[in-house]
Amino acid sequence: MKLKELESCLQQVDAFEEPKILLEQYPTSPHIAACMLYTIQNTFDDIEGKLVADLGCGCGVLSIGAAMLDAGLCVGFDIDDDALEIFRRNAEEFDVSNVDLVQCDMSSLQTEAYANKFDTVIMNPPFGTKHNQGMDMKFLRAALTMAETAVYSLHKTSTREHIQKKANDWGVKMEVIAELRYDLPASFKFHKKKSAIQEPALSHQGRVHLLSRGSNTAEQKLVSSLALNFTFTLLYC
Amino acid sequence: MKLLTHNMLTSHVKGITKGYPLLIKATEVKVNEVAFNPQFVSRMIPKLEWHALVQAADELGHRQDLPGDLVPNYEENEEFLKKVHRVLLEVEVIEGCLQCPESGREFPISRGIPNMLLNEDEV
């Protein structure tokens, strides 16, 4: 499947209907999801025929993309009923049979039971706002326990050094694959050009779908915090 | 919920030492076709608790002739891998619950999704 096709399919994935601020629910843009998944498969061969976990899967855009790229099975984990219901509906509409869903709380999951069970973990985890600081690191720790080969994750660029330090402490190798600007226009800029991939379109009329209603202060704060750089990170286990 | 997923799930209620395997009480089970990838199935087998898989398939009435123990040289045995594929990926629990073997605590499964969330007093 070509990158453009994948992105075009993912544009049809339904997103959150009433996003919950406290859970930091926002959809991963189809452009970013497509570029991320395409890279993971074409450069690193970590999706096709693999057992993949999507932590904090939300409505499933990453999982559905992984399924379309022929993951052996992609299991999505999320805490929220409503998001999982939308994911389930999406999976039905797209007729993807190689996904499965589990409702659980990643931040309090005893991940030892899942240790090294998955080949690959993909995720766009919550960053951890004032209410749940350090959530991104909890997800990362869980991901590293669960994955046997690699963890692919999106993080705020401002936390890159912190994550690098933690990676060193945990004895895992970290590589920044790309930097994304998650505002308008959303773009995906590669750090290293790998010959195998085509340069994706660098401009995209992305939208932060999340915050289209109300002018609630908390929502506004979240909007401005999202106009930040993301780093797409690969961590080797 | 597929049995490949079920094979990983445990009860983490505070104080429980043996929360695995979760017993399946299903009220609705479906079998869906999933593309067969023999290499994938073959690679998954060492990650499985084989007896828990057989027990789960049994509980659902979908064991058919899946053997109680792994056959030797299964990597080359396509017939065997097809049986495993069916049980791991094609059989799905849509409605029912998972029961902790130690405490009896039930985790509901609805619309194919198991809910492993714990209450405050169980964490």
Side-chain angles (χ1 to χ4, degrees):
Chain A
M1 186 182 269
K2 294 201 182 127
L3 176 57
K4 274 198 160 41
E5 280 174 68
L6 180 60
E7 181 174 338
S8 156
C9 287
L10 294 182
Q11 278 164 358
Q12 310 304 314
V13 174
D14 285 341
F16 302 99
E17 276 159 16
E18 291 192 10
K20 296 170 182 131
I21 306 283
L22 290 178
L23 295 176
E24 285 192 54
Q25 291 182 335
Y26 58 90
T28 306
S29 88
H31 178 67
I32 288 173
C35 288
M36 185 170 161
L37 293 167
Y38 197 77
T39 305
I40 296 170
Q41 175 49 34
N42 285 313
T43 306
F44 300 100
D45 196 24
D46 275 336
I47 294 182
E48 190 179 313
K50 301 288 187 320
L51 183 59
V52 180
D54 177 359
L55 306 187
C57 61
C59 302
V61 68
L62 287 176
S63 294
I64 290 179
M68 289 176 171
L69 293 178
D70 295 317
L73 180 68
C74 184
V75 184
F77 295 81
D78 203 281
I79 198 173
D80 183 41
D81 274 337
D82 296 321
L84 288 166
E85 174 52 26
I86 296 175
F87 184 159
R88 195 199 59 78
R89 232 173 46 203
N90 278 324
E92 221 171 66
E93 272 170 34
F94 282 83
D95 202 18
V96 284
S97 57
N98 49 341
V99 293
D100 212 357
L101 284 65
V102 176
Q103 183 172 17
C104 66
D105 182 353
M106 285 317 304
S107 65
S108 64
L109 195 66
Q110 313 273 52
T111 46
E112 295 75 36
Y114 299 90
N116 298 316
K117 297 272 182 171
F118 291 88
D119 293 308
T120 306
V121 173
I122 56 180
M123 60 185 190
N124 183 4
F127 295 142
T129 55
K130 272 187 209 163
H131 302 282
N132 57 348
Q133 245 177 26
M135 189 57 76
D136 54 347
M137 300 315 289
K138 283 188 187 165
F139 268 71
L140 208 43
R141 199 74 201 94
L144 286 163
T145 304
M146 293 165 73
E148 185 162 52
T149 305
V151 172
Y152 295 89
S153 183
L154 291 174
H155 294 275
K156 286 192 291 188
T157 298
S158 58
T159 61
R160 188 184 300 179
E161 263 179 51
H162 177 63
I163 295 176
Q164 180 66 76
K165 182 179 180 301
K166 281 287 176 183
N168 293 340
D169 291 344
W170 296 333
V172 299
K173 186 175 157 203
M174 179 180 121
E175 187 182 320
V176 173
I177 297 177
E179 205 164 288
L180 323 167
R181 283 187 57 80
Y182 198 72
D183 55 10
L184 303 176
S187 64
F188 193 89
K189 190 177 155 193
F190 284 89
H191 272 218
K192 293 181 196 178
K193 241 181 173 165
K194 305 274 181 181
S195 55
I197 345 167
Q198 288 174 314
E199 186 81 72
L202 283 182
S203 81
H204 166 67
Q205 290 304 309
R207 266 220 164 262
V208 181
H209 293 285
L210 166 68
L211 302 168
S212 55
R213 55 179 188 120
S215 54
N216 179 286
T217 320
E219 289 180 356
Q220 283 181 335
K221 274 190 183 159
L222 191 52
V223 173
S224 60
S225 78
L226 283 176
L228 282 175
N229 295 338
F230 276 41
T231 297
F232 173 28
T233 322
L234 156 64
L235 293 101
Y236 298 92
C237 299
Chain B
M1 183 196 69
K2 296 177 196 267
L3 294 187
L4 174 50
T5 305
H6 166 262
N7 201 258
M8 296 187 258
L9 298 176
T10 341
S11 165
H12 288 298
V13 174
K14 186 174 59 180
I16 295 298
T17 46
K18 199 184 175 299
Y20 182 91
L22 294 167
L23 307 167
I24 312 181
K25 295 161 142 189
T27 52
E28 188 185 335
V29 178
K30 264 198 212 162
V31 180
N32 294 313
E33 205 178 300
V34 178
F36 174 53
N37 180 335
Q39 290 84 15
F40 175 70
V41 178
S42 181
R43 277 196 320 108
M44 291 302 107
I45 289 173
K47 296 181 193 245
L48 299 170
E49 285 295 330
W50 184 257
H51 298 113
L53 178 69
V54 176
Q55 183 182 319
D58 234 343
E59 282 165 353
L60 298 181
H62 278 277
R63 179 179 170 177
Q64 295 183 344
D65 53 354
L66 199 67
D69 290 300
L70 271 177
V71 310
N73 300 321
Y74 58 77
E75 299 91 334
E76 313 295 317
N77 188 336
E78 187 160 299
E79 211 184 289
F80 176 74
L81 292 177
K82 279 198 175 138
K83 290 180 192 173
V84 180
H85 165 79
R86 193 181 161 276
V87 161
L88 279 184
L89 296 172
E90 296 189 328
V91 175
E92 287 192 43
V93 181
I94 307 297
E95 299 287 331
C97 70
L98 298 172
Q99 189 176 45
C100 173
E102 190 177 313
S103 65
R105 203 272 205 204
E106 290 185 350
F107 297 90
I109 301 175
S110 106
R111 299 186 196 222
I113 307 174
N115 181 350
M116 307 306 295
L117 292 175
L118 299 177
N119 301 321
E120 269 170 30
D121 56 326
E122 292 176 312
V123 176

